[in-house]
Amino acid sequence: MQDIYNVLKKHKQEHVLKFIDELNPSQSTELLQQLEQIDFDELDNLIDEYVMQEPEIKIPADLEPAPFFPLKAKDARQEELYTQAIAKGRELLQEGKVTALTVAGGQGTRLGFDAPKGTYPITPVKKKSLFQYFAESILRAGSKYGHELTWYIMTSGLNNEATRKFFEENNYFGLNPENVIFFTQGTMPAVDYNGKLLLSDKDSLALSPDGHGGTLLALRRSGCLDRMKSDGVEYISYFQVDNPLVSVVDPLFIGLHALQESDMSAVMLAKTEPFEKLGNFCVSNNKLMIIEYSDLPENLAKARNADGSLKFIAGSPAIHVLNHKFVSELTKAGHLKLPWHRADKKIKFINDNAELITPEKPNGVKLESFIFDALQLAGKTMVLEAAREEEFAPTKNKTGVDSVESCREMLIERDAKRLERVGVKIPRDADGKAAVKIEISPLAVIDDDDARSYCQTENIRKIDTKMDNIYLT
Ligand code: UTP
């Protein structure tokens, strides 16, 4: 006890022991364990670099837009490559060399939903949760490719229990519980603008998840990398819990990644405007990197090619494939230094009188690492363009841009277009939107081939205009 007090005093953080005499033994053990995990020299450095000043954003002078494989093959050779990639991706899925990984450790503060984000009822008709929607896609992919997929779900200490409980209560949505693997990411202590650690209670620091960059080390520490190895998994299909539109395992993306011998690959979308809130794929010193939208200088964000298109057009929807080998190598020393990113947040804390304060404006800093910073550490990378309306409907807010509303509209539109592509007539209103709320169960359909055979078997040629909504399963 004296030791930890001395350490805290040296680093001017002894205030966190203010209530220690009021705690019972298990509470004080809890707090001491949290403190023991902190490297206080490192914390001092981080506070100096990221909290006491605005961190300096270094934009390399040689920054160029990143090259990418376009959505539509540009010539016959590329067309042939894409065909081979799809075949390769399917083969890898059939051989069980691919696993799905969802990062679900975030706090989802913008959504304002008091439960893990993955439990949010998202689908337009049945109001299936995000987790159920992914689970059903994963089930379908397993039966389609003849090899059951394992699904890794990263939680944080703050939502792990609630997430597991949700799966248990829902019988894992039909998945084999042995193939749904939860692992928990690390945390970082939050500090106020004076660099002081905040307490969330008398017996606990205000801790927050350490960012999706924490996935890599968490995979190692939890033993998941070992499990993947013994299962023969070579490729990790990575996506975020708030994007139900994503293909959980896309044969083209996985196959191209493998054929290009990439260590870590990324999907890109064409940005709709210079300052769209997506990370920008760039290259510097021959290394692929993502520069956050808020950090890309205005002149670069607005720069245009001769044909009028944005020069830095490639935005990131946070969809990746990573080699198991790459993640193993990166983390083999048991630590991994990804850069930290500062986020100014409203952090609940207890004051000197032990009163819980819920601030109305940001009162401190959380530090997070981002998975995309691993791209710079990869030997070989690959970027593939995807169609936004097929792959990306982020659920960040309740209404407006990137919201529950916009996500539901995109899910309806994706399914409507999919049906139209296989010859089904869809009623449309004056604005061209589907006039009926359509939802197709991923248990039946996860791609156009599935849609074609489903509509043939069920003899579906048109959607009845008189219906309010329709659910196909
Ligand atoms: P966001 O950056 O959108 O953060 O996460 P968030 O916590 O979900 O939402 P806000 O910012 O508080 O509103 C993008 C994805 O990364 C995961 C999230 O669960 C989401 O799938 N994530 C984020 C983690 O798994 N861990 C983290 O520490 C942060």
Side-chain angles (χ1 to χ4, degrees):
M1 181 70 190
Q2 189 59 40
D3 289 354
I4 187 74
Y5 180 79
N6 291 341
V7 174
L8 289 166
K9 195 160 168 48
K10 180 172 160 214
H11 295 275
K12 303 195 177 69
Q13 301 286 5
E14 68 274 22
H15 63 282
V16 296
L17 294 181
K18 182 167 169 71
F19 304 105
I20 194 89
D21 295 338
E22 299 172 35
L23 303 181
N24 67 34
S26 84
Q27 289 172 319
S28 55
T29 308
E30 170 70 29
L31 180 60
L32 293 176
Q33 276 174 355
Q34 289 179 359
L35 293 168
E36 269 160 23
Q37 280 170 30
I38 298 175
D39 175 340
F40 280 93
D41 290 327
E42 172 72 359
L43 183 70
D44 280 350
N45 293 338
L46 294 178
I47 291 171
D48 281 349
E49 188 175 346
Y50 294 98
V51 182
M52 302 316 287
Q53 54 182 357
E54 283 287 331
E56 196 191 330
I57 310 296
K58 297 181 199 95
I59 300 294
D62 65 345
L63 201 70
E64 287 292 330
F68 58 86
F69 285 95
L71 183 62
K72 296 256 173 306
K74 66 176 190 300
D75 53 29
R77 234 175 98 210
Q78 204 165 56
E79 182 96 49
E80 174 58 23
L81 175 66
Y82 286 10
T83 307
Q84 282 171 8
I86 293 171
K88 178 75 184 171
R90 288 184 179 148
E91 187 187 308
L92 293 170
L93 285 158
Q94 279 155 9
E95 292 169 346
K97 292 191 173 160
V98 183
T99 195
L101 189 158
T102 307
V103 283
Q107 291 174 291
T109 38
R110 283 169 287 173
L111 189 60
F113 176 59
D114 197 20
K117 210 186 212 182
T119 67
Y120 193 88
I122 193 65
T123 66
V125 177
K126 286 288 169 187
K127 303 288 183 285
K128 290 179 187 172
S129 64
L130 287 152
F131 280 136
Q132 179 172 359
Y133 203 64
F134 293 130
E136 292 182 354
S137 303
I138 284 169
L139 264 173
R140 173 69 198 135
S143 70
K144 189 180 174 82
Y145 299 112
H147 200 294
E148 218 172 295
L149 279 163
T150 43
W151 184 17
Y152 290 83
I153 300 172
M154 186 168 81
T155 61
S156 79
L158 307 178
N159 68 13
N160 181 52
E161 230 177 277
T163 304
R164 286 171 182 259
K165 197 157 163 251
F166 186 70
F167 275 80
E168 276 158 25
E169 283 168 358
N170 289 286
N171 293 322
Y172 290 76
F173 307 103
L175 289 163
N176 177 352
E178 283 180 11
N179 291 337
V180 182
I181 299 147
F182 300 96
F183 65 107
T184 305
Q185 68 179 110
T187 49
M188 279 295 278
V191 293
D192 67 15
Y193 288 126
N194 296 317
K196 298 287 182 202
L197 289 168
L198 290 164
L199 285 173
S200 66
D201 211 332
K202 289 180 182 174
D203 62 349
S204 180
L205 298 172
L207 298 171
S208 58
D210 59 359
H212 41 63
T215 310
L216 303 168
L217 213 48
L219 278 174
R220 150 90 47 202
R221 290 183 173 158
S222 59
C224 289
L225 284 181
D226 296 337
R227 158 91 194 243
M228 287 179 189
K229 191 165 179 210
S230 71
D231 286 350
V233 165
E234 293 176 20
Y235 303 96
I236 302 168
S237 178
Y238 168 105
F239 52 91
Q240 304 194 148
V241 76
D242 51 18
N243 179 20
L245 210 56
V246 72
S247 315
V248 292
V249 284
D250 175 12
L252 170 64
F253 183 38
I254 295 163
L256 199 56
H257 167 92
L259 292 181
Q260 293 297 302
E261 296 175 350
S262 172
D263 293 319
M264 177 168 175
S265 297
V267 164
M268 84 79 155
L269 307 173
K271 282 183 352 189
T272 50
E273 47 110 0
F275 300 105
E276 189 181 353
K277 290 185 175 173
L278 294 177
N280 294 275
F281 286 104
C282 305
V283 184
S284 162
N285 196 19
N286 289 323
K287 284 283 179 196
L288 181 66
M289 58 165 63
I290 288 189
I291 305 271
E292 284 190 88
Y293 66 92
S294 46
D295 296 339
L296 191 68
E298 189 176 339
N299 63 326
L300 297 185
K302 286 182 165 169
R304 300 215 172 243
N305 299 310
D307 65 2
S309 60
L310 286 175
K311 190 170 171 205
F312 288 86
I313 186 107
S316 170
I319 303 168
H320 299 287
V321 173
L322 297 109
N323 282 359
H324 175 273
K325 200 165 162 223
F326 171 60
V327 182
S328 276
E329 281 293 312
L330 268 189
T331 57
K332 73 173 177 224
H335 53 82
L336 171 65
K337 272 214 179 308
L338 290 178
W340 291 103
H341 297 257
R342 165 183 167 143
D344 291 69
K345 297 267 182 180
K346 296 177 223 167
I347 304 159
K348 282 189 198 165
F349 68 102
I350 56 162
N351 65 13
D352 284 348
N353 302 322
E355 294 153 345
L356 183 67
I357 309 291
T358 306
E360 281 173 8
K361 54 182 189 148
N363 61 321
V365 170
K366 289 184 178 179
L367 293 177
E368 295 188 333
S369 67
F370 293 161
I371 189 112
F372 59 67
D373 283 319
L375 286 166
Q376 287 181 70
L377 306 175
K380 196 137 191 264
T381 52
M382 186 278 290
V383 183
L384 172 66
E385 183 177 14
R388 180 185 296 257
E389 62 280 11
E390 300 281 321
E391 286 292 333
F392 190 51
T395 318
K396 303 287 182 196
N397 309 297
K398 275 231 158 74
T399 55
V401 179
D402 295 344
S403 66
V404 172
E405 280 173 356
S406 62
C407 178
R408 286 189 182 139
E409 275 181 24
M410 290 187 80
L411 285 168
I412 293 172
E413 211 37 51
R414 193 270 315 269
D415 285 351
K417 289 225 176 74
R418 188 167 266 168
L419 291 174
E420 281 171 338
R421 282 199 294 275
V422 302
V424 177
K425 207 163 160 17
I426 304 286
R428 292 205 171 262
D429 63 19
D431 299 332
K433 284 189 186 164
V436 176
K437 274 191 200 164
I438 299 170
E439 179 175 328
I440 311 181
S441 169
L443 288 171
V445 174
I446 54 169
D447 57 26
D448 285 11
D449 287 345
D450 281 353
R452 191 167 298 107
S453 49
Y454 177 82
C455 291
Q456 260 165 19
T457 316
E458 301 290 322
N459 199 17
I460 299 170
R461 305 231 175 97
K462 64 175 181 143
I463 299 295
D464 191 345
T465 33
K466 288 189 216 78
M467 299 177 90
D468 253 2
N469 56 54
I470 179 159
Y471 175 61
L472 302 176
T473 189

